[in-house]
Amino acid sequence: MKKSNPFGANDAAAEFVFAAESAAQCRHWDEADQSFLQAIALDPSPASRIAYGVCLSRQERFFEAISVFTPILELNDNVATAVVCHNLAGIYREVGNLDLAHRFQWRATLLQEGAEAADLLAMANEALAGDSYEAADSLLQSAFEMDENHDIPPCANGDLIATEGLIVAAIESPAAGVFTLLAAYRQHQATGDLRSMGADQLNLSRVFRELKRDRAARKALDRAIRHFKQAPAPESLHRAQHQLEQLDRTHAIRTFNGTRN
C-alpha cells in the first residue's frame, strides 16, 4: 500500500497520525483507530484519511478501507486521487476483482507525473495476475532499478523479491522460484512484517504443490496460518485455511485404499 505526503495537514493532526502509526506498529489496533479518528476530526485534507485507509488495508479490513478512501475521489486533488487509486487497485487485486484493480491502477498511472517503484510493482503484480509474465518481469526489473537509484540497497525490498519469486517460478521453474520466495520471506521476517511473511508462505505452498511436494506445501500453509493469525490478516487467513482443507482432501483421496472396506 502507498502513503501520501501530508496535503496541508495541521501539526496536531500529524501528531495523532504519528501516534496512530506507532500504535499500529505494535499491533495496538484499537488505540490506532482512536488516534486516526482524532486526526481525521482535526484535518479536513485527505492526508489523515489516506493514512487511516492504508492502516486498515494492512489489517485486511478492506471494506472499511474502501469507505475511507472513496470520498477522497470526489475532491479536486489529483495527487491524493492518484494515491487513493493506487491503494484501491491493491485492495481489489487482493480480493480478486481484477477488473476494478486494473481500472484504478490505470487511473493512478495517468494521474501521476512519474512512476515510483511502488507503482511499477503494482503494475507488475497486475500483469502477473493476468498471466502476462514477460510484461510483469520487465516492470519488476524497472522497479528494482528505481529502488537502486533511490539509495535503497539492491534486493532489500521484500515485496519486490516476492513478486520476482512468482515470476521466476512461472518463467524458469517452480524449483527456482522456491529460493527467491524464501529470500523474500527472510527479508519480511527481518522487518517483522507478519502479513507479508504469511503471503510468502502461501506462495511457497502453491509452488510446492506444483512440485508435488505436498508435505512441504502443508508445512508452508501451517506457517502462513500462524502468521496471518498473528498479523491479523483475516481474508488471507481464510484463504490459507481453505487451501489447507483442499490439500488434506486431495491427500485423503490419493491415499484411499478401497480394499480396506
Side-chain angles (χ1 to χ4, degrees):
M1 297 298 168
K2 188 175 181 181
K3 294 182 183 179
S4 67
N5 292 320
F7 308 128
N10 59 48
D11 291 341
E15 289 178 6
F16 277 120
V17 169
F18 178 79
E21 292 181 335
S22 297
Q25 285 285 343
C26 301
R27 298 197 290 278
H28 298 158
W29 305 118
D30 290 341
E31 183 181 337
D33 281 349
Q34 292 171 11
S35 294
F36 272 124
L37 292 173
Q38 287 175 296
I40 291 169
L42 290 171
D43 180 13
S45 76
S48 300
R49 283 177 283 169
I50 290 175
Y52 188 30
V54 169
C55 183
L56 291 169
S57 298
R58 286 175 176 166
Q59 299 171 64
E60 297 195 350
R61 295 162 63 183
F62 292 134
F63 293 107
E64 292 175 75
I66 290 169
S67 69
V68 170
F69 283 136
T70 302
I72 300 171
L73 299 177
E74 300 174 4
L75 304 176
N76 187 25
D77 188 329
N78 286 343
V79 176
T81 299
V83 173
V84 166
C85 286
H86 175 96
N87 285 291
L88 286 172
I91 289 173
Y92 285 114
R93 197 177 298 114
E94 287 276 359
V95 300
N97 191 329
L98 299 183
D99 180 56
L100 274 178
H102 175 75
R103 293 183 189 183
F104 279 113
Q105 190 61 58
W106 182 246
R107 187 176 176 188
T109 303
L110 291 176
L111 286 169
Q112 293 179 124
E113 294 183 1
E116 299 176 359
D119 303 303
L120 293 172
L121 175 60
M123 288 187 280
N125 284 328
E126 183 179 352
L128 184 60
D131 296 335
S132 299
Y133 303 121
E134 298 296 339
D137 187 41
S138 177
L139 288 162
L140 184 67
Q141 295 313 312
S142 297
F144 270 119
E145 290 173 10
M146 190 165 290
D147 260 1
E148 292 174 7
N149 293 334
H150 284 77
D151 299 323
I152 298 174
C155 297
N157 188 321
D159 294 341
L160 292 176
I161 302 170
T163 297
E164 182 182 33
L166 294 174
I167 294 172
V168 168
I171 293 179
E172 296 183 25
S173 71
V178 167
F179 294 102
T180 310
L181 288 170
L182 284 171
Y185 178 75
R186 287 192 292 269
Q187 182 62 38
H188 286 134
Q189 190 176 41
T191 59
D193 188 343
L194 289 165
R195 180 170 176 262
S196 294
M197 289 165 63
D200 293 332
Q201 290 295 328
L202 200 61
N203 288 328
L204 278 166
S205 73
R206 190 179 78 185
V207 176
F208 282 134
R209 287 197 299 275
E210 291 179 22
L211 293 168
K212 309 300 182 185
R213 295 176 57 185
D214 288 353
R215 183 176 298 178
R218 197 184 200 291
K219 288 181 178 179
L221 282 171
D222 285 337
R223 285 191 290 269
I225 288 169
R226 185 168 66 250
H227 294 322
F228 288 143
K229 284 180 178 178
Q230 291 176 298
E235 295 290 334
S236 293
L237 174 61
H238 176 74
R239 191 181 308 130
Q241 289 172 330
H242 178 66
Q243 290 185 20
L244 183 59
E245 290 170 2
Q246 287 183 317
L247 186 64
D248 286 344
R249 282 198 297 270
T250 301
H251 178 73
I253 292 170
R254 286 177 181 172
T255 57
F256 175 72
N257 186 346
T259 63
R260 294 178 181 176
N261 293 334

